[in-house]
Amino acid sequence: MFEHAAATDVGRLRNHNEDSHLVVELPDGLLCAVSDGMGGHAAGEVASRLAIEHLAAAARELPAGEPALLRLQTAVQAAHAAIRAAATGGREGMGCTLTAAVWRDQAIELLSIGDSRAYRLRATSVEQLTEDDSLVGEMVRQKLLTADQARSHPARSYLTRALGVGTAAEYATATATLESGEVLLLCSDGLTAHVADDQILALVNGAATLAAAAAALVQAANEGGGSDNITVVLARARRD
Ligand code: MN
């Protein structure tokens, strides 16, 4: 039903990988997610793993045919509480991004917190489906920065929302449609800090398989500097 591939890499400058990701084939679709942890002393790994574990549990209980967003929101609230409860003993302030998508037929339900992105990749166009919950993301929306300037801005990693930080989980939801052959990409900012949208499109469309595309995206991010952990999840509906 779906072709999918994922890749994650520590990058060139970090000594551990705080990103987590998930791809689950549902009886009637696909659930995928990327989470990018933050916090010192490996706390980011704990936060992103907690977020993904809660989503994995929700995936096992998703009723076929029913809208998924309500279940995702419940899982996100539980993950938020779990991260806060675990933020002790040097892990104070840990948190993570989360971008999750449930894809059934041609409809995608999205939930996002932070600056991990979802993209729709077509034959000749690329479209970001999520908004960055970040200081530079806000400045781009206010036309104070271009996307290129945001990519290299010194404050580019400052998030305005993160899972596990603050009293309540705040997130955005969205829906989108994808036609057969179009590709869904979820990624952490370790990709988008170094690889522009049009380059992402060219690399994915130029690859023979999604697995090759995932490897090419990680390689491009590393060649661009590899300043952060890099995670990509790619999926497309198979042409039947
Ligand atoms: Mn990151």
Side-chain angles (χ1 to χ4, degrees), residues 44-182:
E45 279 171 67
V46 175
S48 70
R49 205 173 305 132
L50 280 168
I52 291 297
E53 283 171 6
H54 280 80
L55 265 191
R60 290 192 288 271
E61 296 169 359
L62 275 182
E66 274 183 33
L69 274 177
L70 198 61
R71 300 289 179 126
L72 293 187
Q73 289 168 8
T74 303
V76 162
Q77 299 289 357
H80 183 80
I83 293 165
R84 279 174 60 94
T88 59
R91 292 180 185 147
E92 287 82 3
M94 73 172 172
C96 59
T97 72
L98 180 66
T99 293
V102 174
W103 188 351
R104 289 160 166 155
D105 296 322
Q106 293 176 340
I108 294 187
E109 296 172 85
L110 285 161
L111 183 150
S112 73
I113 306 161
D115 64 353
S116 298
R117 293 177 178 174
Y119 284 97
R120 172 168 55 200
L121 307 174
R122 293 179 158 153
T124 57
S125 67
V126 50
E127 183 186 356
Q128 188 178 334
L129 301 175
T130 50
E131 289 198 338
D132 298 342
D133 294 322
S134 65
L135 187 64
V136 294
E138 189 57 43
M139 291 169 79
V140 169
R141 286 191 286 281
Q142 292 178 13
K143 308 212 184 300
L144 300 170
L145 288 179
T146 66
D148 278 335
Q149 290 169 331
R151 204 174 298 115
S152 55
H153 196 281
R156 68 167 183 83
S157 59
Y158 185 90
L159 298 184
T160 52
R161 275 178 181 173
L163 192 62
V165 178
T167 49
E170 292 181 42
Y171 48 79
T173 59
T175 56
T177 56
L178 264 84
E179 306 288 334
S180 173
E182 295 176 353

Side-chain angles (χ1 to χ4, degrees), residues 19 36 189-190 228-229:
D19 289 355
D36 177 350
D189 68 328
D228 193 3
N229 308 145

